[in-house]
Amino acid sequence: METLEVKAGIDDILKKYPDAERDKLILILQEVQEAVGYISKEAIIRISEHLRLPASKIYGVATFYNQFRLSPIGKYHIQLCRGTACHVKGSKAVLDKILQYLKIDAGKTTRDGLFSVETVACIGACGLAPVIAINGKFYAKVTPDSVIKIIEELQKGV
Ligand code: FES
């Protein structure tokens, strides 16, 4: 269920593209995500009506590009750097451990709404590799074990 503000936000974006066709779909999805934080079912329906395209097509595009989120971010949003320096220092193992522990895929949010995980390109802190950011706070030189301790601490603080 979306708030009136969210609906108005989506409508405002669509109004900017009165005669838009399929070629504007990515742009519209990007703007909606920036304004609302994710691509909701309601947004997909409204975009599909506006562009006169089947909702299944909009959904297909939104799921194809991993820049789009289909659920709201969690209370704790974990961004894991997959840049080269972090990769060389083991970011993949850290990512795998986080996803396994939280039982979600990258780009998803836990059922309780507490955690969401996103992989990002270099966040400019290569000297701290491998690095994650949680709600914008950086954690340096994380390991598969240390990252679980960080998550557990956040869970305890709930
Ligand atoms: S590669 Fe991870 S911060 Fe630069």
Side-chain angles (χ1 to χ4, degrees), residues 80-88 91 120-132 138:
L80 181 135
C81 178
R82 290 292 284 133
T84 307
C86 288
H87 179 76
V88 169
S91 66
V120 293
C122 175
I123 47 181
C126 308
L128 308 177
V131 60
I132 63 167
F138 282 25

Side-chain angles (χ1 to χ4, degrees), residues 63-141:
T63 49
F64 179 78
Y65 293 97
N66 58 12
Q67 63 174 296
F68 296 120
R69 301 186 52 78
L70 295 173
S71 52
I73 61 168
K75 179 177 178 190
Y76 299 108
H77 185 53
I78 302 171
Q79 292 176 299
L80 181 135
C81 178
R82 290 292 284 133
T84 307
C86 288
H87 179 76
V88 169
K89 299 272 182 141
S91 66
K92 175 78 167 68
V94 174
L95 174 65
D96 289 346
K97 188 75 183 188
I98 294 172
L99 299 180
Q100 179 197 29
Y101 182 80
L102 294 176
K103 299 188 177 72
I104 54 171
D105 291 327
K108 295 282 194 290
T109 304
T110 54
R111 276 169 160 244
D112 59 8
L114 214 47
F115 294 96
S116 49
V117 180
E118 178 185 24
T119 57
V120 293
C122 175
I123 47 181
C126 308
L128 308 177
V131 60
I132 63 167
I134 303 180
N135 294 355
K137 179 181 172 191
F138 282 25
Y139 294 82
K141 300 185 194 299

